[in-house]
Amino acid sequence: MYLKDIIGFGESKTEIKSLTIDSRKAEKGSLYFAISGTQVDGHKFVADAYKNGAAAAVVERKVDCPIEQIQVENTRIAMAHMAANFYNNPAKQLTMIGVTGTNGKTSISYMVQKIAKRCGIPCGVIGTSGIVANDEKLDIHILTSTTPDPIELQYALSEMVKRNIKWVVMEVTAHALDLHKTDGITFASAGFTNLTQDHLDYFITMENYAAAKAKLFKTAKKGVVNIDDDFGRKLYENAEIPTLSYSIKQKADIWAKDIETEHNKTTFTLVYGEKEFKVTTHTVGLFNISNILCAVGCAVEAGADIGECIKGIESFVSVPGRFETVDTKHRGYTVVVDYAHTPDGLENILSSINTFKKGKLICVFGCGGNRDAAKRPIMGRLAGQLSDYCVLTSDNPRFEEPESIIDSIEEGIKETSCPYIRNADRKEAIKIALEYAKKGDVIAICGKGDEDYQEIKGVKHHFSDREAVEEIIEGGNL
């Protein structure tokens, strides 16, 4: 493809064969994007990209290098649009559905996929659990864990088009919106779940975090918003696009009533306009009912029939690592693995378990390193208030010391009367919980969900909570 076709102006017929933001991965015919990052300035590596064969560079300021340079005001914004052009604007050939909010994005994405399947619509998912086309997980490596960078994202969308996918539902994080990853994409519908404390290491204030989330509704045709959330209510009241409200606490455009929860299912009545539908779902917890309402709303706004949406939801079971139960080989207790890594997420999962547990609730969790440290004592306090026993351990410590992170969590749990123990070895911590558990107890292992690694000192080591439980049980050391 010619450079002029990628940048959308000019006469340059320089041939571009690939795109990259990493000078080390530049090759003959690459277009290199010099990103002014928070820690590394890509302009310093333009010459390296040129030496490796890059044919041109997109820069915010000209650098001393003979490579052909396209100067723009913001490289990130330019990259989003140019990557779309390079891959022939795949999003324009798809019905795009975006979901944002602190919690619930992954579950809602897979609920929408299940609805689409019921409606006979080929559907793709992009998010924390990877990139999926129908039920096939695509082997596409992405640098970020949830919303891919523009080059990766546009490539993934082009692969969806090749596979005749019609809908793509994707998790859209506040980081992604702030960094312009989805610029140029018009979403048929956009869902908002909630706004609770997270990522303040990056956004500094909740106001900044909220403003980033709100950007999704500047690029969507229709919105679906949780009015049980304070920010969601403001978003709904100030909506500039047609927007559906949803609620599990009050009447809304889509709302739930007559809710009954058991340990393995939930029944409720979904009200949509003048229509009422009796729903039986295999998911548990009030937060999952809220997720269902959002998923149904997003699907309806994208063109699905409400009746088919209900049937699709009833066939939904779970998402790996989201309230996922692990086989304990008839030991009489239940093990739940969940991604809950924020105060709100942890509170939701533990509160839900307390509605059906027969014995004690044992919580195993830690907090990530080099992230919002202020939430650590809050999570410790919540775990202590809602659990009967806690095991404080390591999550992804990154470049922090696990024991130091646990110290911060301990500040909160000490404010409660909950007994607890510390063990920075996550597998050992899980083993402690399994040894402690008795018949009727529920063990909640929180924070990592279906992640299959622990990040320690910049290195990702293979680790899976699910596998750890299975290995300990199968090892017969209990």
Side-chain angles (χ1 to χ4, degrees):
M1 180 178 287
Y2 291 141
L3 182 57
K4 67 181 182 65
D5 298 316
I6 296 171
I7 63 177
F9 60 83
E11 299 297 328
S12 176
K13 290 190 176 182
T14 299
E15 188 174 3
I16 300 300
K17 298 179 180 179
S18 63
L19 311 178
T20 186
I21 60 172
D22 188 339
S23 62
R24 297 166 298 182
K25 295 181 180 178
E27 55 191 8
K28 186 177 180 180
S30 289
L31 176 60
Y32 171 70
F33 292 90
I35 302 294
S36 297
T38 55
Q39 298 181 1
V40 178
D41 185 354
H43 292 77
K44 295 180 180 180
F45 305 101
V46 172
D48 292 335
Y50 177 63
K51 290 177 183 176
N52 288 335
V58 179
V59 299
E60 292 174 0
R61 61 180 186 277
K62 292 294 180 72
V63 299
D64 184 16
C65 179
I67 194 171
E68 184 175 353
Q69 298 176 45
I70 302 92
Q71 189 170 1
V72 298
E73 184 175 342
N74 187 308
T75 308
R76 290 188 183 276
I77 294 175
M79 177 170 60
H81 292 277
M82 292 181 190
N85 289 339
F86 182 77
Y87 287 106
N88 296 312
N89 294 288
K92 292 182 179 180
Q93 303 171 62
L94 300 161
T95 295
M96 299 295 299
I97 300 170
V99 185
T100 196
T102 306
N103 300 307
K105 297 185 294 296
T106 301
S107 294
I108 292 167
S109 296
Y110 280 89
M111 288 174 180
V112 172
Q113 185 202 36
K114 186 64 74 171
I115 289 171
K117 189 172 184 178
R118 171 70 195 189
C119 295
I121 302 169
C123 183
V125 177
I126 298 176
T128 308
S129 294
I131 299 173
V132 176
N134 287 326
D135 294 320
E136 176 192 0
K137 190 166 185 176
L138 305 185
D139 185 19
I140 298 176
H141 174 72
I142 60 175
L143 294 175
T144 48
S145 60
T146 304
T147 310
D149 284 330
I151 297 171
E152 302 164 336
L153 175 57
Q154 295 297 334
Y155 170 70
L157 294 178
S158 71
E159 289 298 305
M160 298 287 186
V161 171
K162 289 179 183 177
R163 288 167 168 77
N164 295 315
I165 296 298
K166 301 304 178 186
W167 280 14
V168 171
V169 55
M170 63 180 289
E171 300 177 49
V172 187
T173 65
H175 285 86
L177 291 160
D178 192 60
L179 296 173
H180 305 283
K181 292 184 180 183
T182 60
D183 277 23
I185 295 176
T186 299
F187 292 90
S189 63
F192 171 80
T193 62
N194 63 353
L195 187 80
T196 62
Q197 184 172 331
D198 200 14
H199 304 305
L200 296 191
D201 55 304
Y202 178 90
F203 289 103
I204 309 302
T205 68
M206 288 296 289
E207 290 75 18
N208 292 340
Y209 184 34
K213 294 286 188 188
K215 288 180 181 180
L216 178 61
F217 298 87
K218 302 291 185 182
T219 60
K221 293 179 179 179
K222 296 180 179 180
V224 181
V225 173
N226 179 14
I227 59 171
D228 292 335
D229 178 88
D230 290 340
F231 178 69
R233 189 163 53 254
K234 293 177 183 177
L235 198 62
Y236 177 72
E237 291 170 351
N238 299 313
E240 297 177 3
I241 57 175
T243 301
L244 290 179
S245 61
Y246 70 90
S247 171
I248 59 172
K249 298 179 180 179
Q250 57 194 298
K251 290 184 178 180
D253 296 318
I254 301 178
W255 60 290
K257 65 177 184 178
D258 305 329
I259 301 169
E260 296 182 9
T261 300
E262 298 180 34
H263 75 282
N264 61 349
K265 70 176 182 178
T266 303
T267 59
F268 66 96
T269 299
L270 184 149
V271 184
Y272 175 62
E274 300 300 319
K275 298 179 180 179
E276 295 190 1
F277 301 87
K278 193 72 174 179
V279 181
T280 300
T281 171
H282 299 289
T283 61
V284 297
L286 290 175
F287 67 97
N288 265 322
I289 299 176
S290 188
N291 289 341
I292 287 170
L293 298 180
C294 185
V296 170
C298 286
V300 167
E301 293 292 65
D305 174 75
I306 182 69
E308 293 302 300
C309 289
I310 302 303
K311 292 175 182 176
I313 282 297
E314 290 192 320
S315 66
F316 176 82
V317 179
S318 67
V319 178
R322 269 67 177 178
F323 215 101
E324 179 184 4
T325 57
V326 183
D327 185 2
T328 58
K329 307 298 183 184
H330 309 291
R331 278 173 166 73
Y333 52 77
T334 301
V335 175
V336 174
V337 172
D338 195 86
Y339 188 58
H341 63 287
T342 65
D344 183 66
L346 187 64
E347 183 177 13
N348 281 339
I349 190 76
L350 298 182
S351 296
S352 296
I353 291 172
N354 276 320
T355 65
F356 65 79
K357 69 174 187 180
K358 302 298 183 185
K360 292 181 177 180
L361 169 50
I362 304 161
C363 181
V364 181
F365 81 104
C367 290
N370 302 108
R371 295 292 187 270
D372 184 5
K375 69 183 182 183
R376 295 170 186 171
I378 298 172
M379 292 178 68
R381 188 182 311 112
L382 285 169
Q385 291 170 343
L386 296 170
S387 306
D388 298 298
Y389 186 73
C390 287
V391 185
L392 310 185
T393 188
S394 181
D395 192 290
N396 288 320
R398 299 183 177 89
F399 290 96
E400 285 194 69
E401 291 300 323
E403 294 290 353
S404 177
I405 297 172
I406 295 173
D407 287 342
S408 297
I409 300 171
E410 193 174 33
E411 292 175 16
I413 201 168
K414 280 182 175 179
E415 297 177 15
T416 74
S417 59
C418 181
Y420 70 92
I421 192 170
R422 300 169 50 135
N423 194 310
D425 184 312
R426 194 169 179 92
K427 187 170 184 178
E428 284 297 315
I430 291 171
K431 184 178 181 182
I432 289 170
L434 292 171
E435 290 174 334
Y436 183 86
K438 302 292 188 294
K439 184 177 180 179
D441 291 350
V442 180
I443 302 172
I445 305 174
C446 300
K448 296 183 64 60
D450 66 335
E451 285 183 351
D452 61 358
Y453 65 87
Q454 267 194 301
E455 187 177 342
I456 304 170
K457 302 297 183 184
V459 179
K460 289 186 177 181
H461 304 268
H462 181 78
F463 187 88
S464 161
D465 286 343
R466 184 192 314 107
E467 290 177 10
V469 172
E470 291 169 347
E471 289 171 4
I472 294 167
I473 290 176
E474 290 173 2
N477 297 319
L478 297 177

